[in-house]
Amino acid sequence: EVQLVESGGGLVQPGRSMKLSCAASGFTFSDYYMAWVRQAPKKGLEWVASISYEGSSTYYGDSVKGRFTISRDNAKSTLYLQMNSLRSEDTATYYCARPSVYYPAGWFAYWGQGTLVTVSS
Amino acid sequence: DIQMTQSPPSLSASLGETVSIECRASEDIYSNLAWYQQKSGKSPQLLIYYASSLQDGVPSRFSGSGSGTQYSLKISGMQPEDEGVYYCLQGSKYPYTFGAGTKLELK
């Protein structure tokens, strides 16, 4: 059974950093692109970033480019999101997501339960 | 960036009614479109991928269609469990972009 479990969220002050993790199990992690998607309270979904199989290629949404870094450790089957220079507008539930197919695609069939990040002083 | 315009923002349907939700892309996305359902407090669920392919386990009353810049999701026979918010997502080009969502309620 595919499982994605996010961790690392919480309360952080504006301008500070935070690192999220997503522990994957039930599939060969290195066979799939992975992604982060976020959702601000009472708002819609926003794709944040994606990463290729070995991590050599990364892609970011405009609102996080230059501040967030997606990475992965295939030996640990873990996806990461390093978030720097956090702003109040980064307050959201962050989901880890995996496509249903082996190639990069926007069909995320598997999602974690999400981890809430609150940016506030 | 590709903009996804989703309509309507909300709708209310009676039991058994057929409903449609539309998404329009700002450029051709070559059917690289997915539809998601999100119920309150839950993670999104993939319904349709590649514009018209039904994800495993999703009831057959859900269907997708479209090409180029215009896409739609149809629910043939509204059920109580279909209440939620529906989103389209274009996966043709980075950055991927979601529609703003459609809130569907049972009348």
Side-chain angles (χ1 to χ4, degrees):
Chain A
E1 179 193 4
V2 173
Q3 286 200 339
L4 300 171
V5 180
E6 302 95 338
S7 61
L11 177 64
V12 61
Q13 293 180 327
R16 304 297 291 265
S17 299
M18 177 174 275
K19 187 171 186 177
L20 305 181
S21 299
C22 170
S25 60
F27 65 100
T28 303
F29 185 66
S30 58
D31 282 351
Y32 293 87
Y33 270 55
M34 295 295 296
W36 289 98
V37 175
R38 71 182 181 182
Q39 185 170 36
K42 306 292 187 185
K43 299 295 185 182
L45 300 170
E46 179 186 12
W47 172 83
V48 173
S50 286
I51 187 168
S52 61
Y53 310 108
E54 298 297 327
S56 57
S57 296
T58 56
Y59 310 88
Y60 297 95
D62 293 342
S63 62
V64 306
K65 198 176 298 182
R67 298 187 300 123
F68 289 13
T69 301
I70 187 172
S71 63
R72 64 193 298 163
D73 185 334
N74 288 342
K76 295 183 178 179
S77 296
T78 301
L79 179 71
Y80 301 101
L81 186 67
Q82 176 68 45
M83 304 183 294
N84 298 333
S85 302
L86 282 161
R87 307 166 179 167
S88 58
E89 54 264 38
D90 295 318
T91 294
T93 295
Y94 285 75
Y95 295 100
C96 167
R98 196 209 88 176
S100 57
V101 292
Y102 291 110
Y103 52 87
W107 357 121
F108 300 119
Y110 300 96
W111 297 69
Q113 83 288 350
T115 187
L116 178 62
V117 173
T118 302
V119 184
S120 174
S121 55
Chain B
D1 298 358
I2 297 174
Q3 308 303 315
M4 300 301 296
T5 303
Q6 186 173 341
S7 62
S10 65
L11 73 158
S12 182
S14 301
L15 196 65
E17 183 179 347
T18 294
V19 301
S20 288
I21 299 169
E22 310 287 326
C23 261
R24 185 181 78 249
S26 59
E27 62 183 79
D28 195 330
I29 57 171
Y30 305 99
S31 297
N32 288 295
L33 183 106
W35 290 97
Y36 295 88
Q37 175 195 63
Q38 187 178 32
K39 297 184 180 181
S40 182
K42 301 294 187 182
S43 302
Q45 178 190 358
L46 177 65
L47 301 174
I48 301 287
Y49 63 96
Y50 205 55
S52 60
S53 295
L54 190 68
Q55 174 66 9
D56 290 346
V58 175
S60 58
R61 63 180 178 274
F62 291 92
S63 63
S65 63
S67 62
T69 61
Q70 300 274 11
Y71 299 87
S72 63
L73 173 71
K74 184 167 75 173
I75 307 172
S76 300
M78 174 75 181
Q79 298 299 307
E81 59 267 31
D82 297 338
E83 283 194 317
V85 182
Y86 292 79
Y87 298 92
C88 62
L89 169 65
Q90 72 79 17
S92 175
K93 191 184 293 185
Y94 291 114
Y96 290 169
T97 42
F98 284 93
T102 296
K103 186 174 183 179
L104 175 61
E105 294 178 324
L106 184 63
K107 195 180 295 183

